[in-house]
Structure formats: C-alpha cells, structure tokens
C-alpha cells in the first residue's frame, strides 16, 4: 500500500453550508449532552511510530460526525438508499438507521429505497424506487439479508444519474463493498461534471473485512461467530470417528480475516489457510505430511481454508469472473478434500474425511449485538456527512474513530491480512501449524 498524500485525504464538498442543523447538540464542549463536530477535527493517519524522531504528522483523516451548519435544507431533501453485492449481516440495520436518522433526526420528508442494487436505477429493469415509511422498516433489523434486495454488476453511470435526477434525489447512500463504491465514485464524479449538487456517500459492507481504512466492517463479527459454531460441529465430527478429518471452507476471496478470526475464536482448528500465504501439499514440508503427523499423533484434525486460498494449486486452469468483475475462484475446499482422501488412501492409512461449506449460511443471518451497534453508527455518520454536503466519500473506521475517507482512496486497493500481524501470529499459536508449509525450490539444472 502506497502512502497517501495530504491531498489524497481531502474530502469533496458541494458548497457552502447555509442551513442550521436541527439536531439538539452543543457548539462548545459540555454545553449539551453531545457536541457538533467541526471540519477542523482530524484523526491521525499514523498512530504508531517505530522511531520517536519520525514525525509523519501531516496526514489526517477528516473526523466524521454531525455538523452545526448544513448544505441541504432538511425540509426539502429527497434521499435514496441502495444495497449492492453479496449479503452480509447488518444490512437491514443500516437501511433502518439511515431512514430513522433522516426522518426523525433531520426531518427529511422523502426517503426512497432502491430495489436490487444499481439495476434498480436502470429503467430497463423497471421502476426500482420504494417510498420508505416507519412501518416498512420497523422490524427489518431482526432479519438477515436486505429487504431492498441486491445484485451484482455495473449499470450505465449516465443512465443511473438520469434516473436519480428525474427523481430529484439530493443524496444517495451506497451500501456495499469495493465494486459498489467504485460505482458510487463514478456517480459522484458524473454528478459533479454536470454541476449537480448531489451527495453520494458510501457505507462499507463486506463480511470479508477487506475494505481499506475500515478497521472492522459491519457483519464481520457475526460471520466469525457463526463460523465458530460451524467449527465446533466440525471438531465434534472429527473426534467422533477414527482418524477423523474435517475441512471447513469459509468466505474470504482475497483476504483471510474470517478464517483467521474464526480460528482464534474457536481454538479447535489445527490448520488454517488464507489467500495471503502460499502453501504446498506434497512432502516433505507440504500440508499433507503435516496433516498425517497430526492424525497419527492425535487421531483427528480440523482444517479451515478461506475460499481464495491455494489458487496457485490449480495451475493454468481458465479463470472466470462474476458480474462485478471479481475472479470466481476454483473450489479449494473440494480440491483439498479430494487430495486428502487420495493421500491417505495411497498410504493405506485409515481416514474419515468430511467437508463442510457454510458460506451462504454465515452471511445471511441477522447481525449480532456488536454488528447491530456498528451498523447503526456507520449509518448515522453517513447521514451526517451527506447533510453537510460532503460527497464521494466512504465512512471509515480508523483506530476506533469514524472518519471520512475519499472514495478514490478506498477503491485504490484491497485490505489484506498481514502474515506479520498479531492476528495471524495468534492463528499460528492456536493451531500449532508451521509458519510456512512450502517446499524448497527445485532446480532443473544438471550437476555442475
């Protein structure tokens, strides 16, 4: 990851904030129960220094929060919410909190939900707008999924913008991952090119936890909790048969946060594999030799693998992409299962191998308490930003504080799990697996 410049962290504004906020907050500390947030409030990009003489103190995120002066007159605002990409615990919580904040805190008269992601902004797919009411959203946070529906893939930016303009939408809240935020960035730039005062604000949604500048995205904690429950069952299955081996495949296309989080939460996993680290299968130092030793010593094993791990093992097989342009990974879980079965069979070692893929189960459940709280806060900070006329930004979560992150910075790369991080070191400590299961490189050169 390249270090951003101060200009990279600058937030776009639609213009002068001329309207007083209706929120009952104070302008000075202690005046009321809470205070407005000044644009001068910043959060350091760097919070750790290896050398105290180093002073990288010129990089700051703008801190999120309610502003005392607003760009939009709340009484005339029309707002819309769209949810895109895969499901994630907490989406309905976000929708509900965005609506409640707009309606009851700011007094916004019209809020719309957009059906089935960005395709709901393309008239070719029909009218995707739903007028939102309190009765409509009252209990949606108790359910998984998104009551608005979702879809993958882009739609023509100018067509979407024409639809929003025809509906006189002033602000659009885009709930989704990196593909969604690329679309939000394109919409925001197109609106500015037309001179339209439209605020486009992103809310980060991914159970993979791979959005940069978001320490923890909503839904991740629930996914880890549900994955831990699956691993508990896998452990019981493994111990319930002679030389029982259970392989659990978890979500994690490009980042291994769910696999690592569930492993450390469970403490019953013996091997964990993530996209960030390569591994070999064959002896002497490949996974299969270590698995054999584990089974001989302890009589069972539990293996967790992220969906994006081990893709190098498939060689030059053709690669496909989904509607959002993401690589559709080959099924590493089934591949590992078949290789394990073949390895133990060839060595005439009894092995009872089972395979579990709970991917869609853990992403479609309601949010747990922590994620419900996190969803609510992301939503409310997004509304505060939009009302103040801030646009082309995502609500980030940086070292325990909510910040405004320029969309172009969010979409520049994906966050990944560092093999040097405390989380991965905890995985190695919990599993006892080798730090690397890679064989020495072989040389094709003959004797000198």
């Amino acid at each position: 990851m390249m270090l951003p410049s101060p200009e990279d962290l600058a937030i776009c504004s639609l213009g002068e904030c001329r309207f007083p906020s209706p929120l009952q907050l104070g302008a000075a500390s202690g005046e009321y129960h809470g205070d407005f947030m000044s644009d001068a409030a910043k959060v350091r990009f760097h919070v750790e220094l290896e050398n105290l003489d180093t002073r990288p103190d010129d990089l700051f995120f703008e801190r999120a929060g309610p502003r005392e002066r607003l760009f939009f007159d709340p009484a005339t605002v029309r707002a819309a919410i769209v949810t895109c990409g895969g499901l994630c615990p907490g989406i309905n919580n976000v929708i509900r909190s965005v609506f409640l904040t707009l309606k009851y805190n700011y007094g916004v008269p019209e809020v719309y939900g957009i059906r089935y992601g960005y395709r709901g902004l393309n008239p070719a797919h029909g009218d995707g707008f739903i007028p939102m009411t309190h009765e409509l959203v009252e209990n949606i946070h108790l359910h998984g999924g998104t009551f608005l529906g979702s879809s993958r893939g882009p739609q023509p930016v100018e067509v979407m913008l024409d639809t929003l303009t025809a509906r006189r939408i002033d602000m659009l809240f885009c709930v989704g991952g990196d593909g969604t935020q690329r679309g939000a960035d394109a919409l925001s730039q197109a609106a500015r090119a037309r001179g339209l005062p439209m605020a486009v604000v992103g809310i980060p949604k991914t159970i993979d936890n791979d959005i940069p500048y978001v320490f923890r995205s909503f839904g991740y904690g629930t996914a880890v909790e549900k994955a831990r429950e699956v691993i508990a069952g896998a452990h019981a299955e493994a111990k319930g048969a002679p030389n029982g081996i259970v392989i659990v495949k978890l979500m994690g296309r490009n980042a291994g946060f769910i696999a690592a989080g569930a492993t450390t939460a469970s403490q019953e996993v013996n091997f964990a594999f993530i996209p960030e680290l390569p591994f070999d299968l064959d002896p002497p130092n490949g996974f299969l030799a270590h698995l054999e030793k584990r089974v001989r010593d302890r009589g069972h094993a539990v293996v967790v693998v992220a969906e994006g791990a081990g893709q190098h093992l498939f060689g030059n097989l053709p690669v496909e992409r989904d509607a959002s342009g993401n690589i559709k990974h080959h099924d590493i879980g089934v591949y590992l299962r078949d290789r394990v079965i073949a390895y133990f069979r060839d060595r005439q070692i009894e092995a009872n191998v089972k395979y579990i893929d709970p991917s869609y189960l853990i992403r479609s459940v309601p949010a747990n308490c922590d994620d419900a709280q996190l969803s609510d806060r992301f939503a409310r900070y997004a509304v505060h930003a939009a009302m103040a006329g801030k646009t082309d930004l995502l609500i980030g979560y940086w070292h325990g504080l909510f910040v405004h992150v320029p969309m172009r910075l969010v979409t520049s790369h994906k966050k990944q799990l560092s093999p040097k991080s405390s989380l991965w070191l905890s995985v190695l400590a919990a599993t006892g697996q080798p730090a690397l299961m890679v064989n020495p490189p072989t040389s094709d050169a003959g004797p000198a």
Side-chain angles (χ1 to χ4, degrees):
M1 180 183 72
M2 293 184 62
L3 194 67
S5 67
E7 293 73 22
D8 291 331
L9 302 182
I11 297 299
C12 294
S13 175
L14 295 175
E16 180 186 358
C17 292
R18 299 183 294 111
F19 300 96
S21 173
L23 303 183
Q24 296 299 304
L25 299 175
S29 179
E31 186 176 347
Y32 291 90
H33 294 297
D35 299 325
F36 288 109
M37 189 67 65
S38 166
D39 279 349
K42 307 293 182 183
V43 175
R44 285 191 182 277
F45 184 91
H46 296 277
V47 297
E48 293 183 74
L49 298 177
E50 289 189 12
N51 186 337
L52 292 180
D53 294 331
T54 304
R55 293 177 53 83
D57 54 3
D58 58 340
L59 292 178
F60 298 92
F61 285 113
E62 183 176 274
R63 190 165 177 185
R67 267 42 179 186
E68 188 174 8
R69 305 290 295 180
L70 308 179
F71 176 81
F72 292 103
D73 178 0
T76 65
V77 163
R78 285 187 170 192
I81 309 165
V82 64
T83 60
C84 308
L87 298 184
C88 174
I91 302 177
N92 281 334
N93 302 66
V94 168
I95 296 169
R96 184 177 186 271
S97 291
V98 167
F99 171 78
L100 294 178
T101 305
L102 287 166
K103 186 73 173 178
Y104 296 110
N105 295 129
Y106 282 100
V108 170
E110 294 184 70
V111 183
Y112 296 90
I114 298 169
R115 291 285 282 160
Y116 298 115
Y118 285 141
R119 67 179 287 165
L121 291 174
N122 187 344
H125 298 291
D127 184 3
F129 283 73
I130 301 175
M132 295 181 66
T133 65
H134 182 91
E135 291 72 24
L136 194 63
V137 305
E138 186 173 9
N139 295 313
I140 62 173
H141 61 302
L142 305 177
H143 306 283
T146 163
F147 99 103
L148 290 176
S150 187
S151 66
R152 292 191 183 277
Q155 298 293 329
V157 173
E158 295 299 328
V159 172
M160 292 194 292
L161 189 56
D162 286 343
T163 302
L164 291 166
T165 304
R167 288 278 185 166
R168 295 190 289 114
I169 298 300
D170 300 297
M171 55 186 65
L172 177 67
F173 299 94
C174 303
V175 186
D178 59 329
T180 304
Q181 306 311 332
R182 282 194 294 272
D185 182 37
L187 274 170
S188 178
Q189 292 192 40
R192 290 206 302 278
R194 292 194 195 181
L196 298 174
M198 181 185 300
V200 182
V201 176
I203 300 173
K205 177 225 58 147
T206 167
I207 61 171
D208 287 354
N209 203 37
D210 61 355
I211 297 180
Y213 312 111
V214 180
F215 178 73
R216 191 187 120 191
S217 53
F218 71 85
Y220 168 70
T222 305
V224 168
E225 182 179 298
K226 293 300 177 183
R228 182 194 60 78
E229 293 175 5
V230 172
I231 292 170
H235 186 239
E237 287 284 351
K239 294 190 71 175
N243 290 351
I245 302 170
V246 180
I247 299 167
V248 179
K249 186 180 79 171
L250 298 175
M251 284 189 163
R253 185 187 291 120
N254 300 294
F257 289 103
I258 293 179
T263 294
T264 55
S266 164
Q267 298 289 308
E268 301 290 0
V269 178
N270 308 114
F271 299 93
F273 298 105
I274 58 175
E276 293 86 346
L277 280 173
F279 62 95
D280 291 331
L281 293 181
D282 298 320
N285 196 43
F287 161 61
L288 293 171
H290 293 287
L291 177 62
E292 178 186 348
K293 183 178 186 305
R294 162 72 195 187
V295 170
R296 287 186 182 277
D297 291 346
R298 300 298 300 276
H300 71 282
V302 176
V303 182
V304 165
V305 59
E307 62 179 312
Q311 294 301 302
H312 60 286
L313 300 173
F314 293 92
N316 296 319
L317 288 178
V319 172
E320 298 179 4
R321 293 182 181 271
D322 64 19
S324 297
N326 301 307
I327 292 175
K328 296 173 70 173
H329 289 310
H330 300 291
D331 197 330
I332 185 62
V334 170
Y335 181 79
L336 277 186
R337 178 199 64 189
D338 294 346
R339 286 295 305 269
V340 168
I341 290 172
Y343 177 85
F344 280 82
R345 182 185 61 230
D346 292 346
R347 297 178 73 84
Q348 298 183 340
I349 303 171
E350 179 183 14
N352 288 280
V353 182
K354 297 180 175 70
Y355 172 60
I356 303 173
D357 180 356
S359 298
Y360 294 104
L361 170 66
I362 69 173
R363 79 177 197 174
S364 57
V365 298
N368 65 13
C369 290
D370 282 345
D371 278 331
Q373 294 181 70
L374 194 59
S375 301
D376 177 72
R377 298 183 74 188
F378 272 121
R380 295 184 187 278
Y381 281 114
V383 173
H384 296 323
M387 293 301 301
K390 298 179 185 297
T391 188
D392 204 11
L393 65 89
L394 178 99
I395 302 301
Y397 188 42
W398 196 242
H399 300 292
L401 296 172
F402 290 87
V403 297
H404 296 153
V405 184
M407 203 72 76
R408 60 189 174 275
L409 200 61
V410 171
T411 57
S412 64
H413 66 283
K414 287 181 179 289
K415 183 176 74 173
Q416 289 191 297
L417 174 57
S418 169
K420 296 183 179 181
S421 67
S422 61
L423 176 56
W424 185 248
L425 293 178
S426 296
V427 169
L428 296 180
T431 61
Q433 70 188 61
L436 282 175
M437 283 175 271
V438 176
N439 290 315
T442 57
S443 174
D444 296 330

